[in-house]
Amino acid sequence: MTDQIALFETNIQSLALLHRGKVRDIYAVNNDKLLIVQTDRLSAFDVILPTPVPGKGRLLTALSSFWFEKLDHIIPNHLTGIAPESVVTEMEREQVAGRAFVVKRLKSLPVEAIVRGYVVGSGWKDYQRTGAICGIALSAGLQEAAKLPGGAIFTPSTKAVAGAHDENISFSEVETLLGGDLAAQVRDKAIALYVEAADYAITKGIIIADTKFEFGLDDADGLYLIDEALTPDSSRFWPADQYAPGKNPPSYDKQFVRDWLETQDWNKKAPAPALPPDILAKTAEKYQEALRRLVPSG
């Protein structure tokens, strides 16, 4: 992956740029379709790092494509099947080849649908402090990285703009934001998606410790899975053969970058430090291995 030229930012003049996110650049194709391009940008602690990971956007696209197809019996997704190369000029096709989707233009819900199967990360900190995660009471005496004894839990958060931090919220706050019926639908679909994906991933030697989904509504209030699905950017992947409760296992995701950043003299606000070549290479390696393991042709 590191022998590819990195794409930090797209420059598509033939379409109107709507939004440049932490990783994705979003353009308007028409009134009911968008072009979403997965760049090679990497974010950590909600800050975009100055160092892109070559080929990362193509990997995210391949992995999301796999999951969208595998899980579409649980909930429809926003893909249209239209080739991204067909909606840009010939000169712009290289920017979208293998790293973009043409998707339905939906109303994004203002909630990050996070599902956790293990006590780790901010969930571990919350549990140590309160004996609960996002207000969901858990058994006493759980170790770090322990599997949740009652099964996966829904621990939503707000959506933060780039540079700001997402904040955990309770399910009752989600009900206030979305209404009771839609909140329950989002929770139940998110858990169903996580459980099926985690059950599949373990057969490939990967534990999905937690993940986040995003959902959107069409004009008829139909619910869709949008954005990305179960990638190293939105999930915590652990090698099953190195897992043991009581410690945070090495991961296939950007936790490797987070761990390095924690050793730096940095206040977790922009600008972030540049990644050294060895960290960049190891990060690219982790992403590639996750794709190889999870996707049969990856």
Side-chain angles (χ1 to χ4, degrees):
M1 195 159 77
T2 49
D3 58 351
Q4 301 179 45
I5 296 172
L7 178 69
F8 186 82
E9 192 173 280
T10 57
N11 180 27
I12 295 172
Q13 298 293 320
S14 61
L15 300 175
L17 176 67
L18 298 180
H19 179 66
R20 230 183 267 286
K22 294 171 190 170
V23 174
R24 279 163 287 285
D25 292 349
I26 303 175
Y27 294 84
V29 174
N30 53 32
N31 288 337
D32 62 357
K33 293 182 185 65
L34 302 172
L35 175 72
I36 299 182
V37 189
Q38 278 79 224
T39 71
D40 296 330
R41 293 194 294 270
L42 185 69
S43 73
F45 304 109
D46 295 309
V47 176
I48 297 169
L49 305 184
T51 319
V53 180
K56 171 176 170 279
R58 290 191 171 97
L59 184 148
L60 295 181
T61 303
L63 201 46
S64 281
S65 293
F66 169 75
W67 288 118
F68 279 137
E69 183 178 349
K70 188 171 185 63
L71 301 171
D72 68 357
H73 64 283
I74 295 175
I75 184 173
N77 60 65
H78 64 165
L79 300 187
T80 63
I82 295 169
E85 293 88 342
S86 71
V87 302
V88 297
T89 67
E90 189 174 348
M91 296 293 288
E92 294 165 339
R93 286 176 186 166
E94 179 56 31
Q95 295 183 65
V96 303
R99 62 164 73 246
F101 296 127
V102 178
V103 304
K104 297 178 179 74
R105 199 165 184 165
L106 302 167
K107 182 186 175 186
S108 176
L109 298 182
V111 168
E112 300 271 17
I114 298 167
V115 183
R116 302 174 189 270
Y118 293 76
V119 188
V120 72
S122 64
W124 170 240
K125 291 175 184 172
D126 199 5
Y127 174 74
Q128 285 181 297
R129 194 171 59 251
T130 67
I133 298 179
C134 293
I136 300 170
L138 299 174
S139 313
L142 295 178
Q143 295 178 284
E144 183 177 13
K147 188 169 185 176
L148 286 164
I153 58 174
F154 177 64
T155 60
S157 74
T158 58
K159 280 186 183 178
V161 295
H165 294 287
D166 298 340
E167 290 186 13
N168 292 339
I169 56 177
S170 67
F171 184 68
S172 63
E173 289 174 281
V174 179
E175 290 179 305
T176 300
L177 284 169
L178 305 182
D181 289 348
L182 183 56
Q185 201 181 346
V186 166
R187 177 196 61 204
D188 295 347
K189 292 294 186 184
I191 290 174
L193 288 165
Y194 169 81
V195 168
E196 180 158 331
D199 286 350
Y200 167 79
I202 197 68
T203 70
K204 304 298 181 183
I206 289 180
I207 292 170
I208 303 178
D210 52 39
T211 194
K212 97 175 157 60
F213 299 107
E214 295 200 29
F215 295 96
L217 297 175
D218 64 14
D219 291 339
D221 289 335
L223 188 65
Y224 288 78
L225 179 61
I226 65 170
D227 197 57
E228 63 176 333
L230 295 145
T231 71
D233 271 14
S234 63
S235 315
R236 207 182 304 258
F237 292 165
W238 293 336
D241 60 358
Q242 296 179 56
Y243 168 72
K247 61 179 183 178
N248 207 337
S251 62
Y252 289 108
D253 53 45
K254 60 183 179 181
Q255 190 61 41
F256 187 80
V257 173
R258 291 191 199 101
D259 291 345
W260 179 81
L261 287 168
E262 290 279 21
T263 69
Q264 305 304 299
D265 183 16
W266 178 50
N267 63 0
K268 296 180 183 173
K269 294 179 182 176
L275 298 179
D278 62 323
I279 298 295
L280 185 64
K282 286 174 184 172
T283 302
E285 216 174 88
K286 294 279 188 184
Y287 275 67
Q288 192 64 49
E289 188 178 346
L291 180 69
R292 270 199 312 270
R293 283 188 176 235
L294 290 169
V295 180
S297 59

